[in-house]
Amino acid sequence: MTVYDELIARGLIAQVTDEEEIKELVNTGKAVFYIGFDPTADSLHVGHFMALCLMKRLQMAGNKPIALLGGGTAMIGDPTGRSDMRQMMTQETIQHNCDCFQKQMSRFIDFSDGKAMIVNNADWLLDLNYIDVLRRVGAYFSVNRMLTAECYRQRMEKGLSFLEFNYMIMQSYDFYILYQKYGCNMQFGGDDQWSNMLGGTELIRRKMGKNAYAMTINLLLNSEGKKMGKTQSGAVWLDPNKTSPFDFYQYWRNVADDDVLKCIRMLTFLPLEEIDKMDAWEGAQLNAAKEILAFELTKMVHGEEEAQKAKNAALALFSSGNAADMPAVTLTEDDFTDGAIDILGLLVKSGLTSSRSEARRAVEQGGVSVEGEKVTDIKTVYHADAFAEGMILKRGKKNFRKILK
């Protein structure tokens, strides 16, 4: 099976341009491809993780990845999939986020000896002046055509700022610069980025001539990541300080039955022959598949030791009700008012909910228990001495925290 055939078999590719040429590049290890990452937070999340897995897979086949950090485009904000304008960030915040991304990416991609690159589009976008943009790039874009793009069309009724309107032009310019400076001949992205990606290909061909060798490949990864990388309490992060290895493991352990084999195909590096045998699995066997998925992905992100600890903790927790490696949260004096903390504050502090309003809903819906007893009163309070030996807080069926003081 060729590299490209395996991408198809794993369900990664949604749409491509110039398929035969792309096959040739990917299969022979001659693809120099980029995927963009806008640094809107200080950690990568599951959606990014899916893209990183693809980059790693193609690098293993001899192709060269370019991780493009959007230090420049983050100053504008991508309107795709958003109902309102993204909050503006300072350059200092953006740079901090880029530094965090770069450190995390190094766990997946081998950047030694020119095997891959990390570049930041702030290096060329921030030096452009407005007239330069209009003359160099703007003349090649039809406003009428841009307005038909889904990423803009869906925002027209609610309002689209002129700032965001320029995002497609900037992303297209990125491909042009990467093509010129680094020989980048391919770009990957989620299916919600298709219009922006085609804009880059068109810009190269119009500026460099019809025979300019640039193409785009469109992948399902990012859109799947946005759907699957969310839980009731927010994004699933790769930073262990934001999402613990245990919670990361549990997230994948709890995927829907219909999604587990799809996730194993897309994200793990298990042989397809082994995965194909799982197609007939059902019932309790699907739980075994979920454990395989959770372990493999936690190992990839946090290392084998943390993955094994998370697996052991989960097994011990659901067999005996407690586990030494259960995620723990330590309360401080500042968390108490008059020596007590209410159940809503406890849920927020533990990270099981992101806000008191979410905590209130969880309690009212009967999804919260303490030491095995369901909590139904949102005014329930606990005094500091109740945490001396640790208290087990549970939300839903499989989300636990050990609360200490």
Side-chain angles (χ1 to χ4, degrees):
M1 180 180 291
T2 68
V3 177
Y4 187 82
D5 288 340
E6 182 171 351
L7 297 181
I8 295 290
R10 288 184 180 272
L12 294 172
I13 297 180
Q15 190 174 351
V16 302
T17 59
D18 303 303
E19 184 174 47
E20 291 306 313
E21 292 159 331
I22 290 172
K23 283 182 182 179
E24 174 64 20
L25 285 175
V26 168
N27 290 339
T28 58
K30 296 178 181 177
V32 181
F33 66 95
Y34 92 89
I35 299 180
F37 301 82
D38 268 357
T40 55
D42 59 0
S43 173
L44 297 164
H45 55 65
V46 167
H48 298 127
F49 172 56
M50 295 184 176
L52 290 168
C53 288
L54 174 74
M55 296 174 78
K56 180 180 179 70
R57 200 180 302 278
L58 288 172
Q59 185 182 52
M60 290 170 63
N63 298 287
K64 182 175 181 178
I66 299 176
L68 177 64
L69 301 178
T73 40
M75 300 286 289
I76 298 173
D78 185 359
T80 304
R82 298 187 61 84
S83 59
D84 53 12
M85 192 169 82
R86 191 184 300 277
Q87 185 177 356
M88 301 279 276
M89 296 185 294
T90 65
Q91 284 186 253
E92 291 76 17
T93 297
I94 293 171
Q95 184 57 54
H96 170 72
N97 293 348
C98 285
D99 293 341
C100 293
F101 276 25
Q102 184 166 347
K103 183 178 180 180
Q104 290 178 332
M105 286 176 178
S106 298
R107 290 187 61 89
F108 301 91
I109 310 302
D110 182 2
F111 292 100
S112 67
D113 304 321
K115 296 174 186 174
M117 300 176 62
I118 293 182
V119 295
N120 190 329
N121 63 17
D123 294 341
W124 54 83
L125 292 181
L126 297 189
D127 289 337
L128 289 173
N129 67 48
Y130 188 59
I131 299 300
D132 280 341
V133 174
L134 294 179
R135 289 178 61 86
R136 284 195 216 175
V137 187
Y140 296 97
F141 286 82
S142 161
V143 171
N144 290 357
R145 186 172 176 183
M146 290 172 69
L147 289 176
T148 65
E150 181 63 23
C151 58
Y152 292 145
R153 190 175 60 81
Q154 65 186 358
R155 285 286 301 279
M156 292 304 291
E157 291 185 9
K158 292 188 176 181
L160 175 71
S161 72
F162 184 70
L163 179 69
E164 296 170 292
F165 188 62
N166 285 272
Y167 192 92
M168 180 186 291
I169 295 176
M170 295 298 97
Q171 182 171 332
S172 299
Y173 189 66
D174 284 344
F175 194 13
Y176 172 66
I177 291 295
L178 293 173
Y179 174 83
Q180 282 197 311
K181 292 185 67 172
Y182 306 113
C184 181
N185 52 31
M186 199 177 297
Q187 60 176 327
F188 290 13
D191 54 5
D192 56 353
Q193 293 288 321
W194 186 244
S195 297
N196 295 346
M197 295 161 65
L198 290 179
T201 301
E202 183 66 18
L203 177 63
I204 292 173
R205 288 179 174 168
R206 292 190 66 183
K207 287 185 73 70
M208 307 295 291
K210 286 185 177 181
N211 295 324
Y213 197 60
M215 61 212 75
T216 61
I217 193 168
N218 190 29
L219 301 174
L220 199 58
L221 287 178
N222 289 344
S223 58
E224 283 293 295
K226 289 176 181 176
K227 183 186 79 171
M228 297 167 58
K230 296 286 185 181
T231 66
Q232 291 180 328
S233 58
V236 177
W237 305 100
L238 305 194
D239 183 341
N241 295 314
K242 295 170 78 72
T243 298
S244 72
F246 177 85
D247 286 337
F248 189 84
Y249 179 95
Q250 283 300 107
Y251 171 74
W252 294 108
R253 174 62 181 80
N254 294 334
V255 299
D257 290 354
D258 291 341
D259 289 333
V260 59
L261 291 181
K262 178 173 66 175
C263 291
I264 290 177
R265 279 194 173 85
M266 292 175 67
L267 301 176
T268 76
F269 288 79
L270 297 176
L272 281 171
E273 296 82 1
E274 182 178 336
I275 300 171
D276 288 341
K277 294 177 183 178
M278 300 179 190
D279 281 335
W281 288 11
E282 56 185 21
Q285 288 179 307
L286 285 179
N287 287 330
K290 293 177 185 181
E291 290 174 359
I292 292 170
L293 172 68
F295 183 82
E296 290 296 321
L297 299 191
T298 307
K299 180 174 69 173
M300 202 182 308
V301 174
H302 298 296
E304 187 164 3
E305 181 179 351
E306 289 296 333
Q308 192 60 55
K309 286 170 62 178
K311 180 179 179 179
N312 293 342
L315 291 173
L317 183 62
F318 301 125
S319 62
S320 63
N322 64 69
D325 292 322
M326 185 192 305
V329 174
T330 301
L331 302 177
T332 67
E333 293 298 331
D334 293 339
D335 295 315
F336 295 91
T337 302
D338 296 329
I341 183 172
D342 67 3
I343 185 62
L344 304 187
L346 202 57
L347 285 164
V348 173
K349 177 66 178 180
S350 70
L352 291 177
T353 66
S354 59
S355 66
R356 288 181 66 87
S357 59
E358 183 183 348
R360 175 190 291 267
R361 289 192 297 272
V363 172
E364 291 175 341
Q365 292 167 4
V368 175
S369 64
V370 171
E371 293 293 309
E373 295 291 330
K374 184 175 292 187
V375 179
T376 57
D377 185 355
I378 62 172
K379 296 181 180 179
T380 301
V381 297
Y382 301 92
H383 293 279
D385 55 8
F387 304 97
E389 297 182 4
M391 174 187 287
I392 306 301
L393 177 65
K394 177 182 176 184
R395 182 189 177 187
K397 293 182 178 180
K398 299 178 181 180
N399 295 307
F400 293 78
R401 290 290 188 281
K402 189 171 186 176
I403 311 298
L404 304 165
K405 184 182 183 303

